[in-house]
Amino acid sequence: MEISFTEKDLQFRGQVRSWIKNDYPAHIKQKQNNGEKLSKQDIIDFHKALSLQGWMGYNWPVEYGGTGWSSTQIYIFQKEFGLAGCINILPFGVGMVGPVIYTFGSDEQKKRFLPNILNFDTWWCQGYSEPGSGSDLASLKTKALKEGDHYIVNGSKTWTTLAQHADWIFCLVRTETTEKKQEGISFILIDMKTPGVEVEPIITIDGEHEVNAVFFTDVKVPAENLIGEEGKGWTYAKFLLAHERFGIAVVGASIRQLNILKDIVAGLKNPNLERKITELEINLNALEMLELRLLSDLENGGHPGAESSILKIRGTEIQQRLTELFVEASGEYALIYPGPHGHSNNQPAGPAHAAKSVSKFLNYRKASIYGGSNEIQKNIISKYILGL
Amino acid sequence: MNLNYSDEQQMLRDQIQKFCESDYSFEKREAIIKSDNGYDKDLWKMFSELGWLSVPFKEETGGLGYGPVELTILFEEFGKVLVVEPYLSTVVISGSILDNSNFSNKSKLIGSITSGEKHISLAYIESNQTFDHSSLSTTAISDGNTLIVNGMKSLVLNGGNADHIIASVMLDGEFALVLIDQGLSGYSSNSYPTVDGQTCAEIQLENVSVPSESIIAKGEDAINLLSEAINLATLCISAESIGCMTACYLKTVEYTKERRQFDQPISNFQVLQHRMVDMFIETEMCKSLLYKAMLECDSNEPTKFKSVSGLKSQIGTAGKFVSQQAVQLHGGMGVSEELLIGHYLKKLVAIDSLFGNSSHHLNKYISS
Ligand SMILES: Cc1cc2nc3c(=O)[nH]c(=O)nc-3n(C[C@H](O)[C@H](O)[C@H](O)COP(=O)(O)OP(=O)(O)OC[C@H]3O[C@@H](n4cnc5c(N)ncnc54)[C@H](O)[C@@H]3O)c2cc1C
């Protein structure tokens, strides 16, 4: 057994660190350091900077303009970005629809969509969930009926992250009513500017606008926007789920948060809280090591599958626990409403991190719900690993 | 032994329940929160007319002479619909301090509380993070018949609406509670919304000159008045939490029976059934601790502080568990601002932060 990275991988890590140190957009870093809210343009700027470096396709093969990195390199890249507190790379384009297009799309589609993803000229959002179909995604009802060389789409999607900024949405739609509900589902790309597409904000308990309801009324979508074969959408969606394995444990970001928390708590003389933080640190060590075990498996020809559900469950539990401890470290100042300060522009007294801590605590309740809820992840483990 | 409410208590409960069910819809609450004062003056007046603002006060001072049991009845019901009216700060905390004091002007002040005319807030927190409010930097220096007060108070519940505050000060080096009018020169306040839809304020006192008759109590007396009031308030918000937790499990049971996934109500899934059972059990355990603490407070047992700490410590962890699971079992709907369910989580975060969080009370329990 051997736990260290190779010389080459360490060199690669140095490169990543150096980019973060020298080339990460300074205006974004400054805003993040000051705890300011990032604008849409900041997020675009970050992705553009990444493109410029040629790292946007960090998980793509070289032939489609990706980096062709090994699993270890992808792991190092994501970990370092997390540790440094970089903005999250939006998964919808490069992590989700991109791989589906280069794996199942036509040459025409590859030419049309892939470069825009790598340049971040198109902001993608994910239209899977519907009001009636969350965990049971295959029951989705949004219909796409073929009429000549178009599909007419009717229905609605919900919880669509950042759809308010998106140029395009990739959707699972029902093109046929079949006995087995998975079989009538297709994967289609829709321009958000098409007449009949409407986006309505959904405000979450942290007071933020991050998710939306998206409505489709007689939306005319060119048939060439359908990916692969009609009725195969479910297969593509499942492929996509298996594709994003690492990163869901967000170990890097959690280690960073843990260290920030330790600094805050160092001055508080609160042994109870210190104990809880230590317990969390041990859990985080376990998660980090589990991720490395899966990585090693992958690099040595294995095919880890449902194990990634453990990463999702424990990763989000740790993320959520961290936010709870930040709130605890805020003491009484956790009382102040984290949203925009309605009545006054003055910052209230108390620790600087307090309002943000509560806001994040509330926001991160989502982590155990989205991307396949933690209950669903446990169903997967019990079925595919324990054989129950 | 009889752990049931008396007829009179049951009547009070029915009355409050009826109000909460028919006059405090989610939409109404939202509108109240967005209004300028952050509470509904008409409802406050109605509370007064129904006698609710007189509940804890002694009969000599014009109250109904009820005690902790009646207060917890009220707060449990308030918790179910998340009432934002400032009952805690004005009636429970300031009311308790005044009612138990020998303050010369107390009857008049209590009268102004029960009639719904005035709000009084306790200002005892200064900016620190440790729940320890005995070391103060706010000072009051005697100068003939007046006191000159200087300092800054933080997290004053309903402070923006307060006509007077009761401020903790070091009065010529001794701990004291002093009544200060909001209109005095050198008094300024800055109001903030709280996470649970109420408001609190930061209050700056700059060479505020108050008459020396404004001293409510000094030394041991002042310390005792403060700890009695905070203990009672802690009991009340614990009852409020139990109202929240009860609503959380009831609403979750209802939701999971209606929400269908995989061609069946999600309440069919045993893992969710057990989760809801755990939510229910946690609520019942907290309610049992509430009964213990409430009865000890009612008969003024010396153990009442310890029992309230035990209760508050459990409320912190159980409340978080129950409300987080309520959100989790609602899926995406749980994190939507448009549903009451996520607001229970916010309320329970606020309550955990008030008067000492779970760890703080665990320590207090150990050392008492
Ligand atoms: C902040 C946020 C962002 C999101 N972003 C997107 C996005 O960009 N695009 C998108 O398509 N979707 C998005 N989603 C939707 C997300 O994927 C769904 O919320 C998730 O799949 C759960 O579905 P639901 O909300 O309908 O809950 P439901 O499926 O109704 O589940 C309710 C509860 O029942 C449990 N449950 C359901 N079935 C079972 C079972 N068989 N066994 C045990 N327990 C079960 C669940 O775990 C949950 O606790 C987002 C959600 C959130 C909260």
Side-chain angles (χ1 to χ4, degrees):
Chain A
M1 260 188 227
E2 166 76 66
I3 195 183
S4 53
F5 289 123
T6 63
E7 201 50 47
K8 225 176 105 225
D9 288 333
L10 289 176
Q11 225 171 21
F12 171 76
R13 189 175 72 185
Q15 253 182 316
V16 174
R17 286 185 178 171
S18 144
W19 185 85
I20 294 171
K21 188 156 168 267
N22 303 315
D23 300 314
Y24 188 75
H27 67 284
I28 299 179
K29 195 186 267 174
Q30 194 183 0
K31 274 192 175 178
Q32 286 180 298
N33 287 344
N34 298 338
E36 284 172 53
K37 226 170 125 166
L38 298 175
S39 66
K40 177 184 176 185
Q41 192 56 47
D42 293 330
I43 297 172
I44 293 174
D45 291 347
F46 162 70
H47 287 89
K48 290 266 182 195
L50 209 58
S51 293
L52 200 67
Q53 174 69 14
W55 288 355
M56 192 61 187
Y58 68 94
N59 56 342
W60 291 19
V62 179
E63 59 172 314
Y64 301 116
T67 57
W69 286 340
S70 67
S71 299
T72 302
Q73 285 176 304
I74 295 174
Y75 169 85
I76 290 173
F77 173 74
Q78 291 184 322
K79 180 105 173 269
E80 291 301 320
F81 268 53
L83 282 171
C86 300
I87 304 183
N88 291 332
I89 298 174
L90 284 174
F92 310 111
V94 71
M96 296 178 171
V97 75
V100 168
I101 294 173
Y102 68 62
T103 312
F104 304 105
S106 64
D107 286 343
E108 203 49 45
Q109 288 168 332
K110 289 179 202 169
K111 253 191 255 139
R112 182 166 170 215
F113 294 108
L114 297 183
N116 290 344
I117 294 176
L118 292 179
N119 299 332
F120 206 74
D121 282 336
T122 311
W123 185 312
W124 284 91
C125 66
Q126 179 192 24
Y128 279 16
S129 307
E130 297 182 4
S133 307
S135 299
D136 179 15
L137 190 56
S139 67
L140 60 93
K141 290 196 179 65
T142 296
K143 269 207 164 58
L145 291 181
K146 190 129 186 215
E147 272 183 23
D149 52 2
H150 281 84
Y151 286 95
I152 306 297
V153 179
N154 276 291
S156 62
K157 295 291 175 181
T158 192
W159 313 120
T160 323
T161 299
L162 300 179
Q164 73 266 35
H165 299 326
D167 306 302
W168 281 74
I169 182 169
F170 59 95
C171 288
L172 290 179
V173 292
R174 190 161 298 287
T175 37
E176 206 186 341
T177 315
T178 47
E179 183 85 7
K180 203 163 173 280
K181 55 191 177 183
Q182 283 83 354
E183 282 167 6
I185 295 174
S186 301
F187 196 107
I188 201 167
L189 315 179
I190 303 176
D191 185 338
M192 295 291 278
K193 287 185 293 292
T194 321
V197 180
E198 269 172 285
V199 179
E200 255 179 39
I202 300 176
I203 305 301
T204 42
I205 48 177
D206 54 348
E208 296 292 340
H209 174 199
E210 191 176 284
V211 289
N212 303 271
V214 183
F215 300 96
F216 302 89
T217 318
D218 293 328
V219 178
K220 225 175 138 186
V221 183
E224 72 234 29
N225 289 9
L226 190 100
I227 296 288
E229 287 173 54
E230 229 185 57
K232 286 274 170 65
W234 189 253
T235 318
Y236 308 154
K238 278 210 318 211
F239 155 85
L240 197 160
L241 285 178
H243 197 265
E244 268 290 88
R245 184 161 298 132
F246 292 103
I248 52 175
V250 289
V251 172
S254 286
I255 292 176
R256 178 186 174 80
Q257 291 303 314
L258 182 80
N259 289 333
I260 295 174
L261 182 61
K262 279 184 175 171
D263 283 347
I264 289 171
V265 171
L268 296 183
K269 294 198 206 69
N270 186 338
N272 276 330
L273 191 49
E274 283 164 18
R275 242 187 114 85
K276 291 180 191 174
I277 292 172
T278 308
E279 277 169 3
L280 188 74
E281 181 173 343
I282 296 169
N283 280 326
L284 191 50
N285 286 341
L287 184 69
E288 187 178 18
M289 200 61 215
L290 175 71
E291 202 177 32
L292 286 172
R293 284 172 57 206
L294 294 179
L295 177 65
S296 149
D297 198 14
L298 201 65
E299 286 287 28
N300 293 293
H303 299 281
E307 283 83 359
S308 63
S309 289
I310 313 178
L311 297 179
K312 162 72 173 40
I313 294 168
R314 276 302 150 105
T316 54
E317 282 174 356
I318 287 173
Q319 269 185 308
Q320 292 180 333
R321 181 72 180 147
L322 270 164
T323 66
E324 284 173 29
L325 297 182
F326 267 97
V327 171
E328 192 166 334
S330 308
E332 288 164 305
Y333 286 90
L335 188 64
I336 292 177
Y337 179 60
H341 290 291
H343 300 267
S344 152
N345 293 322
N346 298 346
Q347 267 306 111
H353 65 86
K356 232 170 73 196
S357 297
V358 176
S359 162
K360 204 163 173 188
F361 163 80
L362 294 170
N363 184 275
Y364 272 57
R365 299 318 307 165
K366 70 186 177 187
S368 49
I369 296 169
Y370 65 24
S373 74
N374 285 10
E375 286 78 14
I376 295 297
Q377 302 294 342
K378 286 183 188 176
N379 288 348
I380 292 172
I381 294 173
S382 86
K383 187 166 170 191
Y384 294 103
I385 301 183
L386 304 185
L388 297 171
Chain B
M1 178 166 315
N2 179 358
L3 292 175
N4 294 325
Y5 292 129
S6 69
D7 288 347
E8 208 176 347
Q9 288 165 341
Q10 192 56 50
M11 262 168 58
L12 178 70
R13 189 173 186 214
D14 292 344
Q15 194 188 36
I16 297 164
Q17 239 166 20
K18 192 163 156 272
F19 159 78
C20 291
E21 277 162 18
S22 47
D23 293 328
Y24 217 81
S25 67
F26 179 71
E27 294 70 29
K28 175 145 191 186
R29 178 179 184 270
E30 288 290 287
I32 294 173
I33 290 173
K34 291 201 180 87
S35 71
D36 279 349
N37 299 307
Y39 78 98
D40 186 325
K41 288 196 164 167
D42 292 336
L43 284 183
W44 195 248
K45 210 158 142 234
M46 183 180 132
F47 284 11
S48 163
E49 282 157 13
L50 291 168
W52 295 353
L53 303 183
S54 311
V55 162
F57 295 104
K58 299 189 178 107
E59 282 168 88
E60 307 95 86
T61 39
L64 293 175
Y66 287 151
V69 180
E70 289 78 6
L71 279 177
T72 59
I73 288 176
L74 210 119
F75 272 89
E76 189 177 334
E77 297 310 321
F78 281 179
K80 290 180 188 165
V81 294
L82 300 174
V83 169
V84 295
E85 274 57 34
Y87 195 97
L88 184 73
S89 49
T90 294
V91 182
V92 178
I93 304 177
S94 301
S96 152
I97 291 175
L98 291 169
D99 209 18
N100 292 322
S101 74
N102 298 315
F103 188 47
S104 56
N105 203 14
K106 75 174 185 182
S107 296
K108 193 168 154 242
L109 278 170
I110 289 173
S112 73
I113 291 177
T114 57
S115 66
E117 285 160 70
K118 293 260 158 93
H119 285 288
I120 308 178
S121 295
L122 172 66
Y124 77 117
I125 299 177
E126 297 181 357
S127 51
N128 66 25
Q129 292 147 254
T130 60
F131 300 112
D132 170 18
H133 305 297
S134 53
S135 62
L136 295 177
S137 54
T138 302
T139 56
I141 313 281
S142 317
D143 180 17
N145 285 336
T146 58
L147 312 172
I148 307 298
V149 184
N150 275 291
M152 156 97 150
K153 295 293 181 180
S154 209
L155 299 176
V156 181
L157 301 178
N158 192 39
N161 290 316
D163 299 285
H164 317 278
I165 57 168
I166 298 173
S168 58
V169 298
M170 294 311 280
L171 172 61
D172 303 328
E174 187 183 25
F175 187 86
L177 294 172
V178 178
L179 188 80
I180 302 176
D181 288 359
Q182 156 280 134
L184 293 176
S185 127
Y187 180 112
S188 59
S189 90
N190 215 330
S191 195
Y192 298 102
T194 57
V195 63
D196 57 346
Q198 304 194 4
T199 62
C200 69
E202 233 151 56
I203 294 179
Q204 184 89 38
L205 302 163
E206 250 184 279
N207 290 322
V208 180
S209 166
V210 293
S212 27
E213 302 87 74
S214 311
I215 300 169
I216 297 173
K218 290 196 275 197
E220 269 311 286
D221 285 349
I223 291 169
N224 288 339
L225 284 175
L226 183 62
S227 59
E228 285 285 341
I230 296 298
N231 200 53
L232 184 64
T234 309
L235 179 79
C236 287
I237 58 172
S238 298
E240 194 177 18
S241 300
I242 286 161
C244 293
M245 290 159 75
T246 306
C248 276
Y249 80 70
L250 287 174
K251 281 179 188 291
T252 305
V253 165
E254 201 181 320
Y255 182 78
T256 56
K257 284 189 345 202
E258 277 166 20
R259 172 71 174 169
R260 295 179 69 87
Q261 291 289 275
F262 305 100
D263 301 316
Q264 56 194 306
I266 58 173
S267 60
N268 278 7
F269 302 124
Q270 203 164 43
V271 64
L272 301 191
Q273 291 172 1
H274 285 193
R275 197 83 56 79
M276 288 184 275
V277 170
D278 286 337
M279 291 162 73
F280 166 72
I281 293 176
E282 289 295 338
T283 308
E284 285 302 313
M285 298 312 264
C286 285
K287 195 180 251 181
S288 306
L289 286 173
L290 174 75
Y291 272 45
K292 179 175 160 67
M294 152 188 109
L295 292 170
E296 287 178 15
C297 286
D298 198 44
S299 50
N300 204 15
E301 307 284 341
T303 50
K304 69 180 182 184
F305 293 100
K306 184 171 183 171
S307 293
V308 167
S309 281
L311 167 65
K312 183 68 167 36
S313 155
Q314 278 295 303
I315 288 283
T317 45
K320 211 183 288 163
F321 169 77
V322 171
S323 56
Q324 286 180 347
Q325 291 310 323
V327 168
Q328 180 70 19
L329 268 51
H330 276 74
M333 295 305 283
V335 297
S336 160
E337 181 85 342
E338 296 299 313
L339 237 71
L340 200 50
I341 208 77
H343 295 264
Y344 292 111
L345 176 61
K346 296 205 232 185
K347 183 77 202 174
L348 288 157
V349 170
I351 287 178
D352 191 36
S353 78
L354 279 175
F355 317 131
N357 62 18
S358 194
S359 302
H360 169 84
H361 279 284
L362 192 62
N363 285 341
K364 237 181 117 185
Y365 186 93
I366 293 168
S367 61
S368 58

